[in-house]
Structures are given as C-alpha cells and as structure tokens.
Amino acid sequence: MFLCIIIITYYRNLHGADIRGFSSVQAGDRPSLTSVIDLIERSEKPVVAAIEGMALGGGLEVALGCHYRIAHAQGQQGKPQLHIYWPVRTTVGICVATRDYICALKRTGQPLNPRRLSLKQVQSLPNMDAILSEVLVKVKKQARGCLSPEMCVQAVKASVQLPFTEGILKERELFNLLLTSGQAKALQYAFFAQRAAQKWTTPSGASWKTASAQPIRKVAVIGLGTMGRGIVTSLVKAKMSVVALEQDQKQLEVGGRAVTSLLEHEASKMQWSGQRPDACDPALLQFTLDFGVLQDVDLVIEAVFEDMALKKEIFHKLSAICKPGSFLCTNTSALDIDEIASATSRPHQVIGTHFFSPAHVMKLLEIIRGRHTSPITIATAMGLAKAIGKIGVVVGNCFGFVGNRMMAPYAEQAVFLLEEGCKPEEVDQALEGFGFNMGPFRMSDLAGLDVGWRSRKGQGLTGPELAPGTPARLRGRRRYSPLPDLLCENGRYGQKTGMGWYQYEKPGARIANPDPWLHNFLIGYRDAHHIKTRFIDEEEILERCLYTLINEGFQILDDGIASAPEDIDVIYIHGYGWPKHRGGPMFHASTIGLPRILAKLQKYSEAHPDIPRMQPSAFLKKLVSLGNPPLKEWMSHAGHQSSKL
Ligand code: NAI
C-alpha cells in the first residue's frame, strides 16, 4: 500500500493557525480544519505525522487525525490557544492519542480502523463524573472569570460522556461560545500588545530598529534584599556571571543564603519540568562587600533602599569605579531617574530597570528612560530583559512611572471606600471578582503597609514633617485618608506582623481573615470624623477604583510617558495581576466605551470635588469629543505626539 506521510519540514514544526487570522474568523468557519482532519482520518491510505520540532495547536490536531505519529525524542506538543482563546479538539483525541507516539512506519499494511482515534473508546473510570466535577470547580476558581479553561474541561467531559460525533459537535458549540464572548478578542489583543511593546521608540525618534544592544556577560547587583535576591536569581538562571554586593557582612550572609535557596528551588523546578537544572549554576556567583570588584562588569543593577540620597551616593561611586562602557541601572519603584543620573559622569548610560516582586517570578520589567539615556542603553536594557526571560516595556520618567503612577489613584479610592462604608474584604472581593489575582487590601498586606508609610513620611504627608494644624483628612485642598498611617502606628504592617487590613494566624502567615478589630476601628474612625456610613454596591467599588486608574492611564498617554495604550496594558497584565481576558485597563476602557467612562468620572468627581484624580483627563475628554475612536487611533490625537512608528 502506498504510504502518505505528512511532514512539515521547512519550519520543522507542525504549527497551529495564524493568530492574526483569528479575529477575522467567523463562528462556524472552523470546520475547515475539522473536515481536513476528518478526511485524513477516514483515508484508506495510512497517514503518518512526522514531528521533529513542536506540534502546536492546529498542528497537533492534524497530528492527532493521522493514523500514526512519529516524533523526534525532543519533539514537543502543546495547546497554546488556551492562552489566546481557542478550544481544543479534546474529544477522544487528547485522552487516547498522546500516549501514542510510536515509530509506525514498519506497520504499513496493517488494518487502519484500530488506528482511527474517532473509533476508540475513551476509558471511563467509575468515579469519572465526580472527578470531572471536582476539576471543574477548581479550574473555575483559578480562572477568575476566564472562560477557556472551563470550556476545555467541558470538552473533555463531552469526550468521556458522548460518542465521538456528538462530542465534536459539543466542542464546536463551546468554541462558538468562546469566540463570541469577547474574551477571545481581549486575549488576542494582549498577545499582540506584548509583541508591539518590544518595538519601542522614543519621542526623539530613536527606536528598536536603529539602536543595537551591547552584549552583557557580567552583571553586578547592589543590595540583596527582597528585590536584589530575585534579580540575582533571574540573572544566574540566564547563565550570566553575577557579582552580588551588600553593605555589611551580616546582610551579605543573609542575602547569600536567600539567593542560594532560591537557586536550589529553581533548579528543582527545572528538573521537575524535564529541563537541565545546570542553568542555576552557583559557580556563576561572586559575593562581595568591595565596590572595587565591580570594575569590569558590563552592567550594574542597584537595588538598595528607596532613598534618593543613598542611591545618588552609590551611583556616584559606580560612575568612578566601573569601566567606561558599563551601564548603570536602578531598580527604584518611583524616584527620578534624571536626579539619580546626575550623580554620575555618564547620565546617557543610566536607566531605570523596575522589576516586580518576586523578581525571579514576575515577567514584567519596566524600563525607564531618563532625559539623557542613550538609545544604546535602552536597547541594552531591553536585550537584558529578553535574555532573562522578562517582558521589557520602555516608559518615560515621572513619579511612579507608568505602573505605580496608575496604582496610586486606584489604591487611594480603595481606602476612601473604607472611609465611606466598605470593609476591606468587600472591596477585595469586588476586584477579585473582576479578575485581579488579589484585591488592593490583600495586596497591601502582602507588600507591607510600612513601605507606603515610609514613602508618605518622606513626602511630608504624615509624620514629623507634617505642618502642625493640618486637618487629618486634607492635604492642601485634596482629600487624604490617614487610615493606612493609623494602622502602621498601631503596628499593623500586614502579613509580616500578622495583622494589617486583615488578621493572620501568626506573623508571616498568608491566609487573610476578616478582622472584627478593624471593623470596629473603622466604625470609631467614621464617628470621630463625622462620616455617615453608607452602603456601597459592587458597581461603585469597581467604577471608582478602575476608572480612576484608567483616567490616569489617559493622562500618561497624553504626557508621552507611555507611547501607546498597548504598553500600559502589557504592564498591567504582567506586573499588576490585571486579568488577561480583559485585555488590560486601556483595552477594557475601549470595550466599555470612553463616553461611559467619562460620564461616570464626571458623576463621581462632582460628588467628590476634593479628589483631583477623579477629574476626567483632558485626553479622555478629547477622545470622547472626537467620537470615541478605536484604540489603535488614540495616539494620533495625543497632545504629546505618539512615539510609535
Ligand atoms: P530591602 O530593604 O529588602 O533591601 C535593600 C537591601 O539593600 C538591603 O539588603 C540592604 O542591606 C542593602 N543596602 C542598603 N544600603 C546598601 C549599600 N550602601 N550597599 C549595598 N547594599 C546596601 O529593599 P527592597 O524591597 O529589595 O527594595 C530595593 C529597591 O527596589 C528599592 O528602591 C525599592 O523601591 C525597589 N522596589 C521594591 C519592590 C518591592 O516589592 N519590595 C518592587 C519594585 C522595586
């Protein structure tokens, strides 16, 4: 019998669909692939899929339709569509056939029916229904409103409970449901936004096209605290030589132990997933107290305390010690990059590299260009991000940059809502129901309330620098809530002290329990300040927190701090736990419709004239007056001309 073999040799991979085509696919168009697979499966000639690289998405589905699969020992199979919203031809196939990677050529001439997956029975366990129901509950909880994982379980369920043809119909029904849900569009947008963010440009015209990254082989990290130890781990994992520097022997030992344990943990994770763990080679690491050792490093990442004077002192030192070509990066979360750079003789080689905690896990790297930062420095920082498996996004320099600047009005609203009548758990539930990994109060307890307290004291908003006679709930003419300061004064720093906005079993415990002490404290606080407690519904919680955050995003676009809404969305998805199936805050705004957001902000700002961040941004107003143009067109109307080419 003539043997027909499907081999995709050119790409060496059996790839899936072109995602670019997804948005134009109409519900019901999909059978084209299904019918091709059916045709292959029904064929009287044996069809063999040869998989040398990866069999992804539709490619894997084609392979499953073949009668035999020959896979290279290092061939990989996967369903990336789950992340961009495509259901799986799970019915029968996945369950039966993935065990079936055998060398089949020698079987030529054998009957084909036993090789047709559609004719195979999915083995059903006696307690299958209970298992699937349990999985469904778990998957739903983890998915936080994202529908595709749940639909996949439903498709698997159909493969177990229904005959093949009915299972395929059920899968198509689930697929059409996903396609029309709106989430598919958001996930596809998020996918392309991440790509677009790599193509950075600056307002002065420099771009990824013309600036080339310098090779980075040896990096120094200054400070081995919460952030430094995660940064070192990421670098070592990427096989870079690292010099880790601390201020004294004790901190060096504590930090060194923490790094070693993180690397061991990473190595065991890699081993579990079948990777070679030798990427976490501790021999790449050198611990030191001596700045002199940094002479020959290609790049330095400073991660000492958030203190401008200290950072300037360190950058001054680095500028004198490091070789002329080395780049100097700061991990500051909000401070002025230009001021830090002014302490050096090479401001063009100074840049912000803002990692997110835990730094060896979180994907985002916000890259902050200062006024003098050269294009080569930006390209090198972006290259570093790529080398260590992070997603770099280039932004401009202002207090809090993009991510933390937008967080400020959001967190502020959350606290104002407590003043007016909410409990922390009500605000968190609303935002977690929206899809955030964590609501603002659980997040604040995790990060530590003392961090913000120190920053507010530094800004003179509370503490000894506050002018005597300042009203408790006003700073200038702006509304201020002293609630977080009062919690800190009561020793409630969050998880680390076993109490914050919630109570915990003991210091360091992670399970947040609603705290009757705090509820009473809020009642007493409202009484003391003559605030009438009122019921606040979920809609108001969401609108006030999210729309003020989005409003700041429009301001950031108008200021040229972010060069496109896609950049903001990538930052929020990968750094702040924004639900990917909602595309990011700016995409979300575009789906809600800018006129509605404007109207709500106008309503709330009239009710709260002392909250300036609720006043709709001029850019948002302009876009509404221009008839609510699509997101792609926003930047052509920004005050600060778009820097994307
Ligand atoms: P941390 O307090 O945990 O660690 C700072 C470390 O710097 C300490 O180990 C300290 O001994 C060391 N250090 C201080 N002075 C030094 C000197 N002169 N030479 C060498 N080492 C010195 O602080 P954390 O949280 O790691 O923050 C570091 C920086 O990262 C700050 O600028 C912070 O704003 C920023 N950041 C923090 C995030 C977080 O979630 N903790 C997130 C993103 C940025």
Side-chain angles (χ1 to χ4, degrees):
M1 189 184 295
F2 183 73
L3 183 72
C4 169
I5 305 180
I6 298 180
I7 310 181
I8 311 287
T9 44
Y10 182 70
Y11 292 110
R12 301 179 129 218
N13 297 326
L14 283 167
H15 280 296
D18 181 350
I19 300 153
R20 252 175 290 266
F22 278 18
S23 49
S24 58
V25 174
Q26 294 300 309
D29 277 3
R30 172 82 163 154
S32 53
L33 178 63
T34 315
S35 39
V36 169
I37 296 170
D38 287 345
L39 210 66
I40 293 172
E41 214 206 12
R42 280 202 307 272
S43 159
E44 285 307 320
K45 287 178 185 169
V47 182
V48 180
I51 305 168
E52 191 183 347
M54 284 181 273
L56 297 176
L60 174 59
E61 292 176 44
V62 171
L64 292 175
C66 297
H67 306 113
Y68 295 98
R69 287 148 289 277
I70 307 171
H72 187 279
Q74 278 160 13
Q76 293 182 331
Q77 303 81 44
K79 297 299 299 181
Q81 307 101 310
L82 287 182
H83 305 294
I84 41 181
Y85 232 29
W86 207 250
V88 189
R89 188 188 168 92
T90 14
T91 319
V92 179
I94 297 281
C95 307
V96 177
T98 43
R99 312 186 220 120
D100 206 22
Y101 281 73
I102 54 160
C103 180
L105 284 170
K106 61 179 191 259
R107 298 191 166 215
T108 314
Q110 304 225 348
L112 281 181
N113 269 357
R115 304 298 316 159
R116 299 190 216 277
L117 294 180
S118 61
L119 300 180
K120 292 205 177 194
Q121 200 63 39
V122 176
Q123 205 182 357
S124 183
L125 302 170
N127 52 349
M128 202 57 160
D129 286 352
I131 294 173
L132 286 170
S133 305
E134 200 179 309
V135 169
L136 197 61
V137 170
K138 271 195 194 154
V139 162
K140 257 181 153 172
K141 192 162 173 238
Q142 279 172 5
R144 296 194 178 285
C146 183
L147 292 170
S148 56
E150 182 192 333
M151 298 292 143
C152 283
V153 179
Q154 299 282 17
V156 172
K157 208 169 161 183
S159 79
V160 176
Q161 294 173 340
L162 302 175
F164 185 83
T165 41
E166 285 176 44
I168 287 286
L169 284 178
K170 178 71 185 173
E171 186 193 84
R172 179 140 348 124
E173 184 191 307
L174 294 168
F175 166 71
N176 286 338
L177 202 133
L178 288 177
L179 198 63
T180 50
S181 69
Q183 292 195 3
K185 213 171 153 199
L187 288 163
Q188 287 155 27
Y189 164 85
F191 177 86
F192 288 112
Q194 189 178 322
R195 289 190 169 188
Q198 304 317 299
K199 299 180 177 179
W200 60 271
T201 62
T202 68
S204 60
S207 86
W208 63 284
K209 280 189 188 161
T210 47
S212 51
Q214 297 301 297
I216 301 297
R217 294 185 190 95
K218 190 169 181 186
V219 180
V221 176
I222 320 280
L224 291 177
T226 310
M227 296 308 289
R229 50 190 72 167
I231 297 170
V232 170
T233 304
S234 298
L235 295 164
V236 172
K237 260 181 82 177
K239 297 195 174 139
M240 290 186 183
S241 283
V242 181
V243 184
L245 185 142
E246 256 292 347
Q247 58 176 338
D248 61 41
Q249 190 60 35
K250 186 166 167 268
Q251 293 300 331
L252 191 66
E253 280 165 19
V254 174
R257 274 198 299 275
V259 168
T260 308
S261 124
L262 283 177
L263 284 174
E264 281 169 5
H265 186 66
E266 288 300 304
S268 65
K269 269 196 334 202
M270 288 168 86
Q271 212 157 9
W272 264 100
S273 62
Q275 291 167 270
R276 287 157 64 104
D278 59 0
C280 290
D281 183 4
L284 291 168
L285 251 172
Q286 180 186 359
F287 292 101
T288 187
L289 295 173
D290 177 11
F291 269 84
V293 176
L294 309 187
Q295 211 181 352
D296 66 339
V297 297
D298 301 313
L299 183 144
V300 184
I301 302 173
E302 164 277 312
V304 302
F305 306 129
E306 187 78 334
D307 174 331
M308 180 54 92
L310 175 63
K311 291 200 192 268
K312 282 172 86 169
E313 183 194 318
I314 290 196
F315 272 73
H316 183 68
K317 235 189 228 178
L318 290 172
S319 171
I321 290 168
C322 297
K323 65 182 181 189
S326 38
F327 300 93
L328 308 180
C329 313
T330 171
N331 186 49
T332 176
S333 18
L335 299 177
D336 183 356
I337 305 296
D338 292 333
E339 190 175 345
I340 295 173
S342 73
T344 75
S345 55
R346 53 177 97 170
H348 55 291
Q349 281 162 244
V350 175
I351 193 161
T353 48
H354 181 205
F355 288 77
F356 289 72
S357 181
H360 61 295
V361 176
M362 296 295 285
K363 284 278 175 207
L364 179 66
L365 186 61
E366 212 179 12
I367 292 175
I368 306 108
R369 52 177 167 78
R371 190 181 311 141
H372 303 290
T373 306
S374 71
I376 288 179
T377 308
I378 301 175
T380 304
M382 285 296 274
L384 178 79
K386 196 170 173 203
I388 62 175
K390 306 281 183 211
I391 301 163
V393 182
V394 179
V395 301
N397 181 27
C398 65
F399 190 80
F401 319 128
V402 169
N404 285 344
R405 177 168 155 185
M406 286 170 69
M407 252 298 118
Y410 165 90
E412 180 185 75
Q413 280 306 314
V415 176
F416 291 158
L417 287 162
L418 294 198
E419 288 191 326
E420 294 166 37
C422 285
K423 291 176 180 161
E425 48 274 26
E426 289 166 351
V427 177
D428 281 352
Q429 267 161 22
L431 288 152
E432 286 163 17
F434 176 78
F436 273 99
N437 293 344
M438 260 187 215
F441 294 109
R442 286 213 297 139
M443 178 58 90
S444 163
D445 272 2
L446 173 70
L449 274 76
D450 52 321
V451 179
W453 193 32
R454 213 174 306 130
S455 161
R456 289 190 296 279
K457 281 198 272 195
Q459 294 171 62
L461 292 167
T462 188
E465 303 290 315
L466 184 66
T470 307
R473 298 181 56 237
L474 276 181
R475 297 293 179 268
R477 294 218 298 262
R478 297 166 68 124
R479 179 169 164 189
Y480 178 84
S481 174
L483 269 175
D485 303 332
L486 293 171
L487 259 63
C488 289
E489 285 165 24
N490 276 283
R492 300 179 71 101
Y493 290 180
Q495 281 185 11
K496 61 177 97 167
T497 56
M499 51 191 182
W501 300 107
Y502 293 91
Q503 61 178 0
Y504 300 82
E505 202 179 16
K506 57 177 191 238
R510 285 165 176 260
I511 298 177
N513 298 304
D515 188 350
W517 180 92
L518 190 95
H519 299 160
N520 284 331
F521 176 78
L522 287 176
I523 293 170
Y525 174 88
R526 293 182 199 122
D527 282 351
H529 293 285
H530 312 292
I531 305 169
K532 203 166 170 290
T533 305
R534 65 186 181 90
F535 169 76
I536 302 170
D537 63 16
E538 193 180 282
E539 188 182 346
E540 180 172 344
I541 296 174
L542 290 177
E543 286 175 353
R544 281 178 57 180
C545 292
L546 298 179
Y547 293 0
T548 46
L549 178 147
I550 288 168
N551 194 36
E552 194 68 36
F554 280 109
Q555 194 57 55
I556 280 173
L557 289 175
D558 207 24
D559 292 348
I561 293 296
S563 54
E566 286 91 340
D567 288 0
I568 295 180
D569 289 335
V570 172
I571 288 173
Y572 262 79
I573 288 171
H574 296 286
Y576 293 86
W578 182 281
K580 205 176 191 176
H581 61 276
R582 292 193 190 266
M586 307 320 283
F587 180 85
H588 183 62
S590 75
T591 60
I592 300 278
L594 306 192
R596 182 180 159 88
I597 302 217
L598 176 61
K600 291 287 181 174
L601 283 168
Q602 272 162 343
K603 177 186 125 183
Y604 290 122
S605 61
E606 272 162 31
H608 304 273
D610 52 355
I611 308 179
R613 279 165 166 153
M614 267 185 167
Q615 308 282 341
S617 95
F619 187 39
L620 171 62
K621 285 193 202 159
K622 184 174 174 186
L623 290 174
V624 172
S625 74
L626 288 167
N628 190 23
L631 182 144
K632 278 270 163 235
E633 290 171 21
W634 290 358
M635 293 317 289
S636 60
H637 304 293
H640 190 285
Q641 260 310 304
S642 162
S643 63
K644 287 268 170 196
L645 289 176

